[in-house]
């Protein structure tokens, strides 16, 4: 199974639709996770139906900001939502002849206090988690100094330490990635350019044992400032 996970920075435009079709045709994902969609899913229902994707789990945007969608090919998998809020969709993934597992699709807020609420929720989930668990998306945080390249701003070691402590409290291990290591760019040129690894997938030991060949590949950025990410189980 493949999951295509992408902070697409707006889904209601021709470039998104063309890019989405190309990504689906090339990588053939069973599950799509889209963030920062900026529109309601209902406006694109027909577009996704033509590609055989359905959805019952989504957080629509507020005005022109936010939004998380989880869509899936019903011939390959079933996704059942368990908990939904503005920063994550927590769902059970089911597939014939395979063990059920849990997906938490993350779109972490830029606001520090809101991110604290996200991690409090994830820690509460982790305390009772016995199933294989994958947590993936845009965390809006970095785990080490090597995950940021910038000429104009300082890198906060306290920020990376806090992020790693949270991952540890949730018993999550980073799956790493191939392809472009730094998944987000501010789009500026020269000395003003900043790159960070804001997008990642992490899992608990049960997911790692269930999917021993699980891996992540970051794809080149297109019109969005974030790279699409493919998770292979």
């Amino acid at each position: 199974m493949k999951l295509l996970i992408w902070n697409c920075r707006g889904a209601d435009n021709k470039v998104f639709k063309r890019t989405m079709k190309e990504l689906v045709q090339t990588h053939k994902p069973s599950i799509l996770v889209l963030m920062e969609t900026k529109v309601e899913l209902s406006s694109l229902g027909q577009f996704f139906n033509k590609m055989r994707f359905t959805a019952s789990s989504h957080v629509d945007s507020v005005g022109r900001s936010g939004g998380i969608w989880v869509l899936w090919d019903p011939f390959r998998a079933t996704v059942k939502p368990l908990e939904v809020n503005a920063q994550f969709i927590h769902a059970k993934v089911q597939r014939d002849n395979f063990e059920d597992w849990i997906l938490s699709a993350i779109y972490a807020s830029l606001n520090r206090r809101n991110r604290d609420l996200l991690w409090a929720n994830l820690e509460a989930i982790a305390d009772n988690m016995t199933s294989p668990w994958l947590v993936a998306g845009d965390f809006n945080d970095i785990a080490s100094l090597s995950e940021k390249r910038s000429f104009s701003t300082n890198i906060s070691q306290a920020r990376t330490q806090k992020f790693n402590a949270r991952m540890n409290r949730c018993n999550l291990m980073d799956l790493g990635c191939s392809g472009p290591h730094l998944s987000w760019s501010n789009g500026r040129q020269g000395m003003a350019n900043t790159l960070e690894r804001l997008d990642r997938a992490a899992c608990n030991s049960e997911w790692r044992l269930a999917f021993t060949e699980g891996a992540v590949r970051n794809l080149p950025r297109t019109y969005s400032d974030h790279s699409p990410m493919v998770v292979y189980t």
Side-chain angles (χ1 to χ4, degrees):
M1 182 188 293
K2 299 175 192 173
L3 295 83
L4 179 64
I5 302 169
W6 187 25
N7 182 329
C8 61
R9 204 182 183 191
D12 192 20
N13 61 76
K14 292 180 180 179
V15 180
F16 166 81
K17 292 178 180 178
R18 182 174 66 249
T19 304
M20 192 78 259
K21 285 180 180 178
E22 292 174 354
L23 289 170
V24 168
Q25 289 171 358
T26 300
H27 300 284
K28 297 177 174 58
S30 301
I31 297 173
L32 299 177
V33 176
L34 299 173
M35 297 149 288
E36 204 174 340
T37 53
K38 299 185 179 182
V39 292
E40 293 186 2
L41 179 57
S42 58
S43 67
L44 287 171
Q46 188 174 2
F47 169 75
F48 285 109
N49 286 339
K50 287 181 179 179
M51 295 191 291
R52 298 199 309 184
F53 284 95
T54 187
S56 66
S57 185
H58 62 280
V59 180
D60 278 328
S61 63
V62 177
R64 294 289 296 173
S65 64
I68 315 172
W69 300 348
V70 177
L71 306 99
W72 62 94
D73 181 342
F75 295 99
R76 297 180 182 176
T78 299
V79 178
K80 295 186 175 181
L82 302 174
E83 184 178 351
V84 177
N85 67 35
Q87 295 188 84
F88 73 86
I89 293 175
H90 188 58
K92 178 182 289 186
V93 179
Q94 298 176 310
R95 189 181 181 193
D96 290 344
N97 304 317
F98 287 87
E99 180 182 1
D100 294 353
W101 54 277
I102 305 300
L103 168 66
S104 293
I106 303 298
Y107 179 37
S109 173
L110 288 169
N111 181 281
R112 180 178 55 80
R113 290 184 178 179
N114 288 340
R115 278 206 309 279
D116 289 344
L117 293 175
L118 166 66
W119 282 102
N121 280 325
L122 291 177
E123 289 171 25
I125 290 170
D127 287 342
N128 300 295
M129 182 60 66
T130 57
S131 301
W133 185 29
L134 180 73
V135 184
D138 177 2
F139 287 81
N140 266 314
D141 241 326
I142 59 173
S144 70
L145 301 184
S146 66
E147 292 186 351
K148 180 170 184 175
R149 190 176 73 199
S150 176
F151 298 100
S152 58
T153 58
N154 295 323
I155 301 172
S156 169
Q157 195 161 3
R159 174 186 173 189
T160 64
Q161 290 172 345
K162 186 175 185 179
F163 179 75
N164 285 311
R166 286 168 158 169
M167 291 276 281
N168 289 335
R169 284 197 294 270
C170 290
N171 300 312
L172 294 172
M173 61 186 82
D174 194 317
L175 286 171
C177 65
S178 60
H181 180 63
L182 304 178
S183 63
W184 170 82
S185 170
N186 65 357
R188 298 176 184 175
Q189 301 298 314
M191 299 290 284
N193 181 246
T194 296
L195 298 168
E196 293 186 331
R197 187 187 177 210
L198 301 182
D199 309 88
R200 72 183 70 236
C203 68
N204 63 1
S205 56
E206 288 82 3
W207 197 92
R208 180 80 276 184
L209 289 171
F211 302 105
T212 55
E213 297 181 5
V216 177
R217 178 185 172 196
N218 287 344
L219 305 177
R221 284 187 300 278
T222 55
Y223 82 95
S224 173
D225 52 0
H226 288 258
S227 295
M229 179 171 63
V230 181
V231 178
Y232 303 83
T233 61

